[in-house]
Amino acid sequence: MQINKLLILTFLFAIFLVNQASAQVKDTVLKSVDTLKSVKKPVVEPKVMTRQDSMKAKYVNPGKVAGRKAVFRSMIFPGLGQIYNLHLLNDGYGERAGKSQTGQRIYTIGKIGAIYGGLTVLTIAYIDNRQLYKRFLAEAQYREANPGKENDLTQYSDAGVISGKSTYKRNSQIVIFSYGLVYIANIVDAYVAARLHFFNIDDKLGFKVSPSVINSSNMYGFTANPAVKLSFTF
């Protein structure tokens, strides 16, 4: 009996070992398959160029970009666009083209001074005209409330006081309109100067003289007259 029990236990132990061995082999196979899956390289699909990508490859006009920046600065505050153009003169573009930028710098600084000088003159003129307008207005109101009496402007008649009041009021309005003109001129000048900075404008000028024929007939037909044609290239 003991021998039979021993054989049965040995048989069961052998079955247990076989099961453990088969489980380890199965796990090893699965791990190798997983390893192969992780090593597999992903397939990279070719990138299709979109419209936005094609737009990025377009040529960028530096003059157009500089013009927009100059306009934006001039709109914020008069003269800032000219100051931006003054910094553009330091990029060496004109000097690389064989031109000195000293005269252009002086010209740009002069334009900045002209802008602020013009605004200063307009401001002084506006203040003076407003003060005189208020003075004539007060005199007109006093004479209207007190017929036959004069308060301040004794050298003026009633018609002169009314005319002076209207004149100084109109002058104040003209000054305000001039402010707008200076503001617009400041923007236009900044844009044009920024765009022209990137144009290759040299001092080479050529001309060509050649014979030609001009039709002098006013009606139908052709009447040839000799002429000289002058062509300029720059």
Side-chain angles (χ1 to χ4, degrees):
M1 292 294 295
Q2 293 180 355
I3 295 174
N4 293 333
K5 291 181 180 180
L6 182 61
L7 291 175
I8 292 171
L9 291 174
T10 304
F11 179 75
L12 293 175
F13 182 73
I15 293 174
F16 175 77
L17 292 178
V18 171
N19 290 332
Q20 290 293 327
S22 62
Q24 290 181 359
V25 171
K26 185 177 181 180
D27 184 62
T28 305
V29 173
L30 290 175
K31 288 183 178 180
S32 62
V33 173
D34 295 337
T35 305
L36 291 174
K37 288 183 179 180
S38 61
V39 174
K40 187 177 180 181
K41 295 182 179 180
V43 179
V44 179
E45 297 181 357
K47 185 178 179 181
V48 180
M49 181 174 289
T50 61
R51 182 178 180 182
Q52 185 176 2
D53 294 333
S54 61
M55 291 176 64
K56 292 180 180 178
K58 289 184 178 180
Y59 169 73
V60 178
N61 189 340
K64 192 173 182 179
V65 175
R68 289 178 179 176
K69 291 182 178 180
V71 168
F72 180 73
R73 285 165 171 76
S74 295
M75 291 176 65
I76 294 176
F77 195 81
L80 285 183
Q82 283 71 20
I83 295 175
Y84 170 75
N85 292 336
L86 189 63
H87 288 295
L88 284 179
L89 297 175
N90 298 325
D91 63 357
Y93 181 81
E95 295 176 355
R96 290 197 303 270
K99 297 180 294 183
S100 176
Q101 299 287 4
T102 303
Q104 190 66 27
R105 289 189 181 94
I106 296 174
Y107 177 61
T108 305
I109 294 174
K111 289 190 293 185
I112 297 173
I115 291 173
Y116 288 108
L119 293 176
T120 302
V121 171
L122 289 176
T123 302
I124 295 174
Y126 180 78
I127 294 173
D128 290 341
N129 282 280
R130 289 300 298 177
Q131 289 177 349
L132 291 172
Y133 166 73
K134 292 179 180 179
R135 183 180 178 185
F136 276 82
L137 177 62
E139 181 68 19
Q141 292 174 346
Y142 177 82
R143 293 187 182 186
E144 184 179 1
N146 303 279
K149 295 183 179 181
E150 298 176 353
N151 182 27
D152 182 20
L153 303 174
T154 57
Q155 68 273 26
Y156 292 95
S157 62
D158 293 345
V161 171
I162 299 298
S163 177
K165 177 178 69 69
S166 301
T167 299
Y168 291 116
K169 181 179 180 180
R170 183 175 63 254
N171 291 345
S172 301
Q173 294 172 348
I174 293 175
V175 171
I176 295 175
F177 180 73
S178 300
Y179 272 120
L181 291 180
V182 173
Y183 181 75
I184 295 174
N186 143 75
I187 296 174
V188 173
D189 173 77
Y191 177 78
V192 173
R195 291 299 302 268
L196 290 179
H197 176 71
F198 291 92
F199 280 94
N200 186 13
I201 303 175
D202 52 22
D203 299 329
K204 296 180 181 179
L205 175 65
F207 66 93
K208 179 181 179 182
V209 180
S210 59
S212 181
V213 176
I214 297 178
N215 181 17
S216 61
S217 177
N218 295 327
M219 301 298 292
Y220 298 103
F222 181 80
T223 303
N225 290 324
V228 177
K229 182 179 180 181
L230 180 62
S231 303
F232 290 94
T233 57
F234 53 90

